[in-house]
Amino acid sequence: MTGHNALTGAQVIVDYLIREKVPVVFGLCGHGNIQFIDALYERSADIKTVSVHHESVAGFMADVYYRVSGRPTATFTSCGPGSANLPIALANAFLDSVPFMAVTGNVPTSQFNRGAFQELYRHYQADFPATVRSYCKKVFQPTRGEQVPLMVRQAWKTMVTGRPGPVVLDVPFDVFMEPAAEEAPRPEDWTANISSRCGADPEGVVKAADMLLAAERPTIIVGQGVRYGGACDELLRLAERLQIPVAASASGLGAIDLNHPLALGLVARAGHYQANHATRQADVLLALGVRFDDRTSSSWVPGYSFTIPPTRLIHVDIDPEEIGRNYPVALGLMADVRTFLRQLLAEIASRKDVDSKLEARRRWLAAIDGYRKEWDSFVAPGFRDGSTPINPQRAAHEIGRALPDDAILVSDIGVHHNWLLGFCKPKRPDSLIGSMGFGPMGFGVAGVLGAKFAAPDRPCVSVCGDGAFFMHANVLGTAVEYDLPVVWIVWNNYAYASIRGLQRGYLKGRELATDFRHPRTGERYNPDFAAMARSAGVEGVRIDRPQDIGDAIQVAIDAGKPYLIDLDVDADLNPAGAGVWELPGLGCNRPGIGQRYEPG
């Protein structure tokens, strides 16, 4: 502590994090943040500090920590390259609407615009904020100690209100040390009493109820706004009360148990037939917290994922910018989805003729059952394939079957993610976590560590491609250092296989820079990932038969220590679904099942 019982800037930030009940922060040291780390040292009994081996790992950990716990946390990085390693994780959180506070160090204010070591000064002094402005909700840069209390509370408020997202608090070295306040701001006086769970226009709620009750082929599609908005219980109540089937974007999978009779599964370019065929035929589509991105919407080509119009779209989102961005709306409502669903349920409860209007749903649900049977027949052969390398559909299926109901599966980016989305069946909102906006490799490799900190009593498993794991193998050391019993399943297909698939499909097989081969033999090449793990103190095994996957996962979870499974998976198969994906100028692929829907 400094004289006169004043807190320094660093101490104010740390104290504020503690007041916001942040239990752990993730980061990496540098000369620009040693005073902040010292403030963490002083309060080590109140807040845990986790040191990682790459700054993006800290960001991915903070991201997934929130997705599992629902509580934002913070990262700390130094000036120059330390914080410059963070924007990938910031952008991922920003596009997936995940909040965390990035405390970044900068050069002392007395050295602004002098070209001090690691200062970005060619366009503007101490210009790290310009680097990350498009990757987060807002950047705050106090230049005097007395500004820190104001900016730390404003940053937290910005982060958690409205559409959540990460913020950056960029602090010059001397501001960390300057006297800043007698005490940190009290959340009870500021952010703790702010609610962003705004309701919809009451007249809009009535209109939504009218449209759904009058529909013959109503369908619901849910996105991340339902999962992380805590609206899953209300969603299930609405679906069951009105007998409306529920489809999901990749970000929404798990909002309803995929084993539920009303669950349709994935709408996407590689989506399930019953899901895509229902949403593209719907006369009324209720979209809850959905962005309608290109993968969900089959590149916006009508008749594959959606046919809007003539489908009448009710689009509910807390961010009005998303409403009407990609499709015209019959009814657009800015609202928190949980609040809206509660309003809608109350409105429906006041109606006296609900049951009489549900007769048409029986025909609709019977037709969907037929689509589901067609899909099940289409995919059945992959579940029986016993070949080596392992059929990827079989691998995804075996992984899903082997995981306990309370397991958290954190997927990385790559072709394996598409297989998991298609053939794992998440039962709860945090059963399957993936990155759907920015899509950085390493998200799942590192994010599984954040999941374990958030849920220490639950099995936490990462499925990650060989390319992504090799980029971020430093996580092995962190898992050992903090005794984190996580499991990595390395989907080893010896290639950047999703991109190689595009080269084969769109470029007539002109492949370059997408597979891993030995320079002399031409044979497929990768490090021995199991041996790599063992060298770091992590148990590692190699699996090349599908029938061994389940037992290996069980052993890994039961081991109670960090564990890696190197899985030999076929790289030549890509998931086929009922949607399409277009690369403008290169063309559009064909659906694996079904055909383009033409409204009658």
Side-chain angles (χ1 to χ4, degrees):
M1 300 290 180
T2 61
H4 307 295
N5 199 32
L7 300 178
T8 65
Q11 289 168 333
V12 166
I13 298 168
V14 170
D15 192 52
Y16 187 78
L17 293 176
I18 293 169
R19 288 173 181 258
E20 287 284 4
K21 299 181 172 56
V22 172
V24 58
V25 294
F26 311 103
L28 205 151
C29 63
H31 80 275
N33 66 358
I34 58 172
Q35 284 301 115
F36 181 73
I37 295 172
D38 193 53
L40 287 169
Y41 176 86
E42 291 178 334
R43 303 297 300 276
S44 56
D46 302 308
I47 188 168
K48 183 178 179 67
T49 300
V50 174
S51 172
V52 299
H53 297 284
H54 194 278
E55 288 84 359
S56 66
V57 168
F60 293 143
M61 290 174 70
D63 180 317
V64 177
Y65 183 93
Y66 174 82
R67 297 188 199 222
V68 173
S69 70
R71 293 182 297 171
T73 184
T75 63
F76 60 93
T77 54
S78 186
C79 53
S83 292
N85 277 331
L86 194 61
I88 288 175
L90 280 170
N92 183 69
F94 187 42
L95 294 188
D96 276 8
S97 305
V98 174
F100 72 86
M101 179 181 286
V103 181
T104 59
N106 212 322
V107 300
T109 56
S110 61
Q111 297 180 358
F112 275 18
N113 208 37
R114 301 188 70 181
F117 181 52
Q118 298 182 337
E119 183 195 9
L120 294 169
Y121 67 96
R122 300 283 180 90
H123 296 285
Y124 189 79
Q125 60 193 27
D127 202 18
F128 180 71
T131 305
V132 293
R133 189 169 290 122
S134 61
Y135 292 97
C136 63
K137 285 189 75 174
K138 192 168 182 178
V139 186
F140 298 80
Q141 190 187 63
T143 54
R144 302 188 307 276
E146 65 191 29
Q147 294 178 310
V148 172
L150 171 70
M151 290 195 178
V152 71
R153 68 167 174 80
Q154 288 184 339
W156 193 274
K157 174 197 168 186
T158 299
M159 179 178 72
V160 298
T161 54
R163 182 175 183 170
V167 295
V168 173
L169 184 65
D170 187 62
V171 186
F173 184 83
D174 54 322
V175 176
F176 275 136
M177 295 188 292
E178 285 183 9
E182 293 299 318
E183 63 176 355
R186 287 165 29 95
E188 308 92 279
D189 298 333
W190 300 98
T191 57
N193 297 321
I194 299 174
S195 171
S196 293
R197 290 198 175 274
C198 54
D201 165 29
E203 293 181 0
V205 174
V206 172
K207 185 176 179 180
D210 290 341
M211 291 173 66
L212 291 171
L213 289 171
E216 294 184 359
R217 300 183 306 280
T219 307
I220 299 171
I221 181 167
V222 298
Q224 182 166 294
V226 175
R227 290 173 62 193
Y228 300 134
C232 297
D233 290 344
E234 289 79 5
L235 168 68
L236 183 60
R237 286 171 53 202
L238 177 68
E240 291 181 339
R241 180 67 186 96
L242 296 186
Q243 287 297 287
I244 300 179
V246 180
S249 71
S251 298
L253 279 180
I256 182 173
D257 184 342
L258 282 197
N259 296 295
H260 192 284
L262 290 171
L264 295 172
L266 175 68
V267 174
R269 56 171 175 152
H272 302 147
Y273 181 57
Q274 66 272 14
N276 280 53
H277 204 37
T279 54
R280 66 197 183 199
Q281 290 186 85
D283 55 356
V284 173
L285 181 66
L286 173 60
L288 301 169
V290 182
R291 293 189 300 118
F292 289 109
D293 64 287
D294 60 328
R295 291 189 294 180
T296 301
S297 305
S298 290
S299 297
W300 307 291
V301 179
Y304 288 107
S305 291
F306 309 105
T307 317
I308 307 171
T311 296
R312 302 178 70 206
L313 175 63
I314 305 170
H315 195 173
V316 183
D317 202 286
I318 198 167
D319 185 352
E321 291 294 321
E322 296 297 349
I323 301 172
R325 180 189 297 279
N326 290 315
Y327 289 111
V329 292
L331 178 63
L333 297 172
M334 187 193 78
D336 166 70
V337 291
R338 189 178 76 179
T339 304
F340 166 76
L341 286 172
R342 290 179 178 179
Q343 290 176 293
L344 184 58
L345 285 164
E347 174 63 26
I348 290 168
S350 71
R351 304 291 182 97
K352 299 185 183 303
D353 57 347
V354 173
D355 292 331
S356 65
K357 295 180 178 292
L358 301 184
E359 180 61 33
R361 308 294 161 78
R362 294 189 177 93
R363 294 190 295 273
W364 177 226
L365 294 177
I368 287 172
D369 283 341
Y371 310 149
R372 185 178 283 110
K373 289 174 182 175
E374 290 184 63
W375 173 255
D376 290 344
S377 177
F378 174 69
V379 300
F383 298 136
R384 299 188 295 266
D385 191 340
S387 60
T388 296
I390 300 167
N391 181 308
Q393 180 184 317
R394 176 81 185 270
H397 178 64
E398 295 293 341
I399 290 169
R401 287 204 315 164
L403 293 176
D405 286 351
D406 65 339
I408 300 169
L409 177 58
V410 187
S411 174
D412 210 276
I413 290 299
V415 71
H416 68 277
H417 189 43
N418 295 329
W419 288 108
L420 295 176
L421 290 170
F423 299 103
C424 287
K425 291 190 174 182
K427 298 180 175 62
R428 46 194 285 179
D430 58 3
S431 291
L432 176 57
I433 293 173
S435 163
M436 300 313 304
F438 200 56
M441 296 174 72
F443 167 79
V445 182
V448 70
L449 302 175
K452 196 63 182 179
F453 274 109
D457 297 327
R458 295 173 60 185
C460 295
V461 178
S462 167
V463 178
C464 48
D466 46 343
F469 184 79
F470 206 5
M471 288 181 186
H472 296 84
N474 63 79
V475 296
L476 295 170
T478 304
V480 172
E481 291 159 20
Y482 292 92
D483 193 23
L484 297 172
V486 300
V487 178
W488 289 279
I489 301 175
V490 179
W491 190 281
N492 192 351
N493 54 24
Y494 297 85
Y496 297 121
S498 61
I499 308 306
R500 190 174 71 177
L502 298 180
Q503 290 175 333
R504 291 177 174 180
Y506 292 94
L507 301 176
K508 299 180 180 179
R510 295 193 297 276
E511 300 174 27
L512 182 65
T514 51
D515 61 0
F516 313 143
R517 297 193 178 276
H518 195 280
R520 289 187 293 276
T521 67
E523 296 296 319
R524 57 184 194 157
Y525 163 77
N526 252 331
D528 184 335
F529 291 116
M532 181 188 293
R534 291 192 293 270
S535 74
V538 173
E539 187 66 38
V541 296
R542 167 84 167 182
I543 299 295
D544 56 14
R545 301 192 310 168
Q547 60 266 35
D548 296 334
I549 294 174
D551 288 342
I553 292 174
Q554 188 63 58
V555 169
I557 291 174
D558 290 345
K561 59 183 178 180
Y563 210 102
L564 183 144
I565 299 171
D566 184 358
L567 202 62
D568 186 4
V569 183
D570 190 339
D572 293 329
L573 296 175
N574 286 291
V580 296
W581 200 41
E582 180 182 26
L583 289 178
L586 295 180
C588 191
N589 71 324
R590 294 182 179 181
I593 179 173
Q595 57 190 356
R596 184 171 184 170
Y597 172 70
E598 298 286 351

